[in-house]
Amino acid sequence: MIAVTGASSVALGPGDPRTLEPTAFLRAKKTRKFMGTQDDLAVIAAAGALEQAGLQAPQLGERAGLFAVVGYIPFNRDDIDPVLESSLDGERFSMTRFSSGGFQRAHPLLTFRCLPNMPAFHVSANFDLQGPYFVSYPGPGQVYSALEEAHILLQDGTIDCAVVLAVAHQRNFLVEHHFSRLSPPVPVTELWDAAACLILERPESAAARGAATRATLRSLEHRYAPHDALTSERATREILTGVAQPPGERGPALLLTAVAEAVRAHAATEVEHRLQTRDHVSAHSTWQVHG
C-alpha cells in the first residue's frame, strides 16, 4: 500500500471568468511569460499538494520523482488563423507556403505554452524535483501508467516521494474541435480546464518525517486490449463510487481530482474508480480516504 500525504486540485468550468495566477510559486518570476493555462494549472495543483504534505524544495531533490499526464495540445483560434492565412494557396493548404513563412506568423513563445512536456518542466523546476520522471499524453488511461511507475520506484526505494500530476487545458479551439469530432461528440459545455496532484510516499517514510497519511492507495490494475482503431471506437467511461462525480469532462485529471476532493472533505470513505477508454485501456483502483 502507498500513502497519500498531499492532494490538491484546481478547475475552471465553462464560462468561469477567473484568471489563474501561479506567480507566487515561481522561483524565477520571468518564467511566467513562458507559461500557458496548462502550466498555470499544473503549478498551482502541485503547490497545494506539496504544501499539504509538508514538503519543500530542500526535502525533494533527487529523491523525489515526477509522474505527469497532460491532456490534448491546446491552441486558440487567434493563434491558428494567422498561420493558416499565410499557408494557403487559393483555398488549399500549401506546405511550401507554410514552411517558407506561414509558421513564422505564430508567436515565438507559443510552443512553450502548448507542448505537453512544459507542465512537467515548470513543476520540476519550481519545486526542485530532480529524481526520475515520467510524462505521458493525453488520456485518463495514461494516469494508471503514471501511478504504476510511481508505485514501482517507491517500492524499490529509488525515490522517497512521488509527485503524480494530471492536467488538461480543454477550453480552447483545438481541443473543442477534437471532442466535437468524436463519436459520440463531447459538447463544449462539458469541457473543463483541470489539474490535480497527489503526493505518494511509502507509509514508513511518511511516518518517519511525521507526515499525516490522508489516503491510502489500496489496489491498482490496468491492461490494454489490442484493437483496430478504425472499426472499434468506443466512448470513454469512468465510474466513481464513494465520492461525488466531479462535473464535466476533465481529461486525465478526473481520478486524481476525485481523490483530492475526498481528502479535502475530511470524511472517511473508500473511493473506487473504474475506467474504460477509447483506446481500449481498462483500469481499476481503490483508495481508502481517512477522515
Side-chain angles (χ1 to χ4, degrees), residues 239-288:
I239 300 173
L240 282 163
T241 57
V243 66
Q245 180 100 4
E249 164 59 57
R250 301 190 181 211
L254 183 68
L255 169 59
L256 303 191
T257 296
V259 175
E261 291 186 355
V263 168
R264 186 182 301 123
H266 298 292
T269 186
E270 182 176 85
V271 176
E272 183 177 16
H273 179 252
R274 295 187 180 275
L275 171 70
Q276 290 185 338
T277 72
R278 290 181 182 275
D279 51 353
H280 288 242
V281 172
S282 298
H284 172 253
S285 61
T286 56
W287 309 71
Q288 184 63 51

Side-chain angles (χ1 to χ4, degrees), residues 101-200:
F103 76 95
Q104 294 176 334
R105 294 291 305 278
H107 192 285
L109 297 181
L110 182 61
T111 53
F112 291 101
R113 299 171 183 155
C114 295
L115 294 178
N117 61 323
M118 293 310 294
F121 162 75
H122 288 292
V123 169
S124 62
N126 286 295
F127 301 109
D128 193 35
L129 306 180
Q130 300 178 31
Y133 70 92
F134 172 95
V135 181
S136 193
Y137 158 97
Q142 300 306 313
V143 173
Y144 277 83
S145 296
L147 287 167
E148 183 177 60
E149 187 74 11
H151 181 272
I152 291 170
L153 296 184
L154 283 168
Q155 294 289 55
D156 70 13
T158 301
I159 57 175
D160 296 325
C161 166
V163 178
V164 182
L165 171 73
V167 59
H169 173 27
Q170 304 190 125
R171 300 188 305 164
N172 61 83
F173 163 74
L174 191 60
V175 178
E176 290 171 358
H177 177 67
H178 163 72
F179 277 105
S180 73
R181 299 172 66 239
L182 298 178
S183 178
V186 179
V188 170
T189 53
E190 289 295 311
L191 297 178
W192 285 55
D193 295 338
C197 183
L198 302 182
I199 309 302
L200 306 184

Side-chain angles (χ1 to χ4, degrees), residues 2-254:
I2 295 296
V4 179
T5 55
S8 179
S9 64
V10 58
L12 300 174
D16 192 327
R18 289 179 297 160
T19 300
L20 299 172
E21 186 46 73
T23 304
F25 309 117
L26 304 183
R27 299 173 76 179
K29 308 304 182 188
K30 64 181 180 181
T31 60
R32 183 71 179 89
K33 65 183 178 181
F34 296 101
M35 298 176 68
T37 300
Q38 60 184 5
D39 308 314
D40 298 343
L41 289 160
V43 168
I44 291 170
L50 287 166
E51 180 181 14
Q52 187 178 66
L55 290 168
Q56 298 178 347
Q59 299 167 282
L60 297 168
E62 295 181 358
R63 299 295 296 171
L66 175 62
F67 307 85
V69 180
V70 183
Y72 293 100
I73 293 176
F75 227 102
N76 291 312
R77 183 179 286 275
D78 289 346
D79 296 318
I80 292 176
D81 284 348
V83 176
L84 179 61
E85 179 183 350
S86 297
S87 302
L88 292 177
D89 184 1
E91 295 184 354
R92 298 178 64 86
F93 179 81
S94 166
M95 181 57 73
T96 300
R97 291 179 63 86
F98 171 76
S99 60
S100 63
F103 76 95
Q104 294 176 334
R105 294 291 305 278
H107 192 285
L109 297 181
L110 182 61
T111 53
F112 291 101
R113 299 171 183 155
C114 295
L115 294 178
N117 61 323
M118 293 310 294
F121 162 75
H122 288 292
V123 169
S124 62
N126 286 295
F127 301 109
D128 193 35
L129 306 180
Q130 300 178 31
Y133 70 92
F134 172 95
V135 181
S136 193
Y137 158 97
Q142 300 306 313
V143 173
Y144 277 83
S145 296
L147 287 167
E148 183 177 60
E149 187 74 11
H151 181 272
I152 291 170
L153 296 184
L154 283 168
Q155 294 289 55
D156 70 13
T158 301
I159 57 175
D160 296 325
C161 166
V163 178
V164 182
L165 171 73
V167 59
H169 173 27
Q170 304 190 125
R171 300 188 305 164
N172 61 83
F173 163 74
L174 191 60
V175 178
E176 290 171 358
H177 177 67
H178 163 72
F179 277 105
S180 73
R181 299 172 66 239
L182 298 178
S183 178
V186 179
V188 170
T189 53
E190 289 295 311
L191 297 178
W192 285 55
D193 295 338
C197 183
L198 302 182
I199 309 302
L200 306 184
E201 302 181 61
R202 293 184 300 276
E204 59 272 22
S205 297
R209 66 180 189 86
T213 295
R214 304 178 189 279
T216 302
L217 173 56
R218 298 179 61 87
S219 68
L220 176 72
E221 59 179 300
H222 71 122
R223 58 188 180 275
Y224 169 74
H227 66 289
D228 182 348
L230 297 178
T231 61
S232 60
E233 183 177 17
R234 67 183 185 184
T236 292
R237 295 182 64 232
E238 291 191 76
I239 300 173
L240 282 163
T241 57
V243 66
Q245 180 100 4
E249 164 59 57
R250 301 190 181 211
L254 183 68

